[in-house]
Amino acid sequence: MTRLTALGSGWLAIAALLSVGTAHAQEADADLIKRGAYLATAGDCTACHTKAGGKFMAGNFKLDTPIGAIKTPNLTPDDETGIGKWSYETFEKAFRHGIGDEGEYLYPAFPFGWYTKVSDEDTKAIFAYLKSLPPVKEKREENEIPFPFNVRTALITWRTAFFTAERFKPDPNASAEVNRGGYLVEGLGHCGMCHNERKLVGNSSLAGRFGGGVIDGWYAPNITPDGHQGIGAWSDEEVVAYLKTGTAPGNRPGVAAGPMRQTIEESLSKMTDADLRAMVAYLRTIPAKQTYKEKDLQAFNQPGAPGADTYLTYCSSCHRPDGKGVEGAIPALAGNTSIQSRGPETIINVIVGGLAAQSGYAPMPAIGQEMTDEQIKNVTDYIRNSWGNKAPVVSETGVVASARQKIKTMMAGNAPCSTIDDDKLKASVEQATGGDALKGLKPNDFVPVLSRVAPQVKAAAPEAGDDAVVNGLLSAFCKANRSDRDAEPLPWSATIGSFGNVAYSQVKNPEKRVDAAPGQPPSSGASSPKP
């Protein structure tokens, strides 16, 4: 072999080694990014950094806080408007210390008081993931915070009182599962951000830990092991199922709504069962806590109780006079722990705004649109204190009026029609309802039309699931009829609520109630959502 040939062979060997090294480095980077994606999901970053209809992680989501509205920043790697020029050190200082890239203090609406507990390795993985995203050029909008709260230097007082930079410290006497759960609950999951009684005091024992409290007009319930006000009466399997889907198996009542529904859809439902079980195991170690004193309010367990007539008029046809609902179709109110939280905000919001179909349950009409504020207050107290339920009565003046002003939904008729994100489902709905099939449709014709349309949509998009099919039909009905308000024989909330219930019935049980002729009422009623 000549010297030249030997040198050539050597260079080839070096090139091969370099190629292998590069491949291994790329594989390591891919693994780091994949891990970071999971951790960012566990931290629920999408919920606060992606506005409705906006680009993924491009920010400008509006966070309503007690001091005003905060517009969230762009987390994509755009050099001008995002974190494209940030070093890891800049990101780490913001993520775990609440110090922005220009040295400014960040508002504690960003949960750095919890993220400070995240490990170095996980912080680096999250940064790698964010840097891998497609860059989006979207300038951050101005906050809506009045003086003096817009002076960030004043935040030094808050930081001195409540913030301590520290990593999560495993309990040497606890199991690996409990410590994993503690790391998630107290760190990335920042559960106390919503479930602590006092929100802006950070990850602190002073915050009424996990005892429940109001967040953005909704009540985040007690999640300590208390048997009545918390999750003590729930089995581990029931809590895990709730975190995964928004409902629990068996006869455990309740469905997730408001911010918790979004957290489940965008974060908890995408986490591993092992991590969810670990979070539950950790929550079991928190001291049980009662956030209000229970009283025996027998006034609600007798004829003529406040709110009883309203309940029988508006609610009992679905939830039944005994509050037990319809298994698998309509959640029970009796024994529902979320209904018995200290604060009534969540149930009032649902009465006012309704709910889309979710977790196999029928959509709920925005029945509060047909009630007075006094009726909503009374029926809320009745539901929270009947059939063995016990909870404080509504005492805050204006809480119902505030909900009416804040809650904007398609079901209530004060928000745009919802959209269908699944392209295949959207196409199947458009094909099945093409033309004027839903335009001007009257309640008496809901059954014959939906008995034809619903099976077509379900068959064309079987992977979408029943909930999505029902909600897709609701969206199509809304878009076809919202502008034709004068033609409605009933208020909008009642009209779309009735349509939703019939759509649910025909999607879930198409063999029932298909014998009605157009213009004639169905033999067993068009508005009942019962299967």
Side-chain angles (χ1 to χ4, degrees):
M1 178 183 294
T2 65
R3 184 179 180 184
L4 183 61
T5 303
L7 285 173
S9 300
W11 283 115
L12 287 174
I14 292 172
L17 288 172
L18 289 174
S19 177
V20 171
T22 301
H24 285 169
Q26 290 175 342
E27 184 177 344
D29 288 345
D31 289 342
L32 186 67
I33 290 169
K34 182 178 179 180
R35 181 161 158 244
Y38 179 80
L39 294 167
T41 298
D44 202 14
C45 302
T46 302
C48 289
H49 291 276
T50 306
K51 70 177 181 180
K55 295 292 183 65
F56 183 67
M57 291 291 193
N60 283 325
F61 178 83
K62 183 178 179 181
L63 280 173
D64 291 317
T65 77
I67 62 172
I70 295 175
K71 300 298 182 66
T72 58
N74 184 341
L75 294 188
T76 73
D78 179 67
D79 285 347
E80 295 181 23
T81 64
I83 63 170
K85 293 183 178 180
W86 283 29
S87 65
Y88 169 73
E89 290 72 23
T90 302
F91 175 77
E92 191 272 340
K93 189 178 290 186
F95 183 72
R96 294 197 296 197
H97 299 272
I99 305 294
D101 62 322
E102 297 180 355
E104 76 279 13
Y105 294 135
L106 301 183
Y107 288 103
F110 175 65
F112 60 87
W114 281 264
Y115 292 164
T116 186
K117 295 182 180 294
V118 177
S119 70
D120 294 345
E121 294 77 12
D122 284 354
T123 302
K124 290 175 182 177
I126 292 170
F127 182 64
Y129 164 66
L130 294 176
K131 281 284 197 174
S132 75
L133 296 175
V136 177
K137 190 176 298 297
E138 180 164 341
K139 186 178 180 180
R140 185 177 182 180
E141 299 171 3
E142 293 294 326
N143 293 329
E144 300 169 10
I145 301 176
F147 180 83
F149 303 111
N150 61 345
V151 181
R152 289 179 183 259
T153 52
L155 289 169
I156 188 62
T157 303
W158 178 91
R159 296 177 66 89
T160 301
F162 302 119
F163 176 68
T164 301
E166 59 180 352
R167 302 295 171 264
F168 177 77
K169 298 175 182 177
D171 181 351
N173 298 317
S175 67
E177 181 181 49
V178 167
N179 277 319
R180 172 63 176 174
Y183 177 73
L184 293 168
V185 169
E186 301 286 2
L188 281 172
H190 59 284
C191 302
M193 195 77 175
C194 292
H195 291 275
N196 284 0
E197 183 178 356
R198 293 175 290 281
K199 303 297 183 294
L200 292 183
V201 297
N203 193 340
S204 162
S205 60
L206 300 176
R209 289 181 74 227
F210 305 125
V214 179
I215 180 74
D216 198 20
W218 296 80
Y219 196 85
N222 183 331
I223 53 173
T224 74
D226 181 77
H228 175 65
Q229 298 178 25
I231 60 172
W234 292 51
S235 70
D236 290 354
E237 292 74 18
E238 288 171 336
V239 182
V240 168
Y242 181 85
L243 295 178
K244 193 82 172 179
T245 66
T247 60
N251 61 356
R252 180 64 61 188
V255 295
M260 187 62 182
R261 165 55 56 178
Q262 184 179 20
T263 297
I264 288 171
E265 290 178 348
E266 297 179 351
S267 176
L268 294 170
S269 65
K270 299 176 182 180
M271 294 176 66
T272 65
D273 288 350
D275 273 349
L276 294 180
R277 285 194 294 270
M279 293 171 72
V280 174
Y282 175 74
L283 290 174
R284 297 296 194 199
T285 70
I286 302 297
K289 182 176 183 179
Q290 288 195 345
T291 47
Y292 63 89
K293 293 183 178 180
E294 296 178 17
K295 295 181 180 179
D296 189 11
L297 300 174
Q298 291 300 320
F300 294 95
N301 286 321
Q302 58 185 348
D309 288 344
T310 301
Y311 179 82
L312 290 172
T313 300
Y314 292 98
C315 314
S316 64
S317 61
C318 291
H319 292 283
R320 295 184 173 177
D322 58 7
K324 292 183 178 179
V326 179
E327 185 176 354
I330 298 166
L333 304 177
N336 191 322
T337 53
S338 62
I339 282 175
Q340 299 173 74
S341 297
R342 178 179 181 179
E345 288 83 2
T346 293
I347 188 170
I348 291 173
N349 291 346
V350 170
I351 291 172
V352 170
L355 289 172
Q358 59 189 49
S359 302
Y361 286 109
M364 176 174 166
I367 199 68
Q369 298 298 320
E370 302 172 50
M371 299 181 189
T372 65
D373 287 5
E374 184 69 15
Q375 285 177 316
I376 293 176
K377 173 191 175 300
N378 287 341
V379 80
T380 298
D381 287 341
Y382 178 79
I383 288 169
R384 282 160 56 83
N385 290 284
S386 295
W387 320 296
N389 292 351
K390 293 179 183 179
V393 296
V394 179
S395 58
E396 183 180 344
T397 303
V399 64
V400 176
S402 176
R404 282 197 194 277
Q405 184 177 11
K406 182 178 181 59
I407 301 301
K408 308 294 183 184
T409 68
M410 176 183 73
M411 300 296 284
N414 53 16
C417 301
S418 63
T419 57
I420 305 174
D421 296 329
D422 185 317
D423 290 338
K424 187 173 182 179
L425 176 61
K426 182 178 180 180
S428 66
V429 170
E430 290 175 349
Q431 182 176 1
T433 62
D436 297 327
L438 301 182
K439 180 70 173 176
L441 194 66
K442 300 298 188 290
N444 280 351
D445 297 331
F446 286 171
V447 170
V449 170
L450 283 169
S451 66
R452 172 180 56 82
V453 167
Q456 292 180 16
V457 176
K458 186 174 180 178
E463 67 285 350
D466 290 348
D467 294 344
V469 171
V470 173
N471 293 331
L473 290 169
L474 275 168
S475 173
F477 179 80
C478 177
K479 291 175 181 177
N481 293 283
R482 270 287 294 276
S483 61
D484 192 19
R485 303 302 295 271
D486 295 337
E488 295 169 13
L490 299 171
W492 171 255
S493 59
T495 300
I496 193 170
S498 177
F499 179 88
N501 285 335
V502 177
Y504 174 85
S505 176
Q506 292 303 321
V507 169
K508 299 287 284 188
N509 300 285
E511 73 280 1
K512 296 187 177 182
R513 296 191 293 275
V514 296
D515 56 340
Q520 299 296 321
S523 59
S524 54
S527 61
S528 172
K530 299 180 179 60

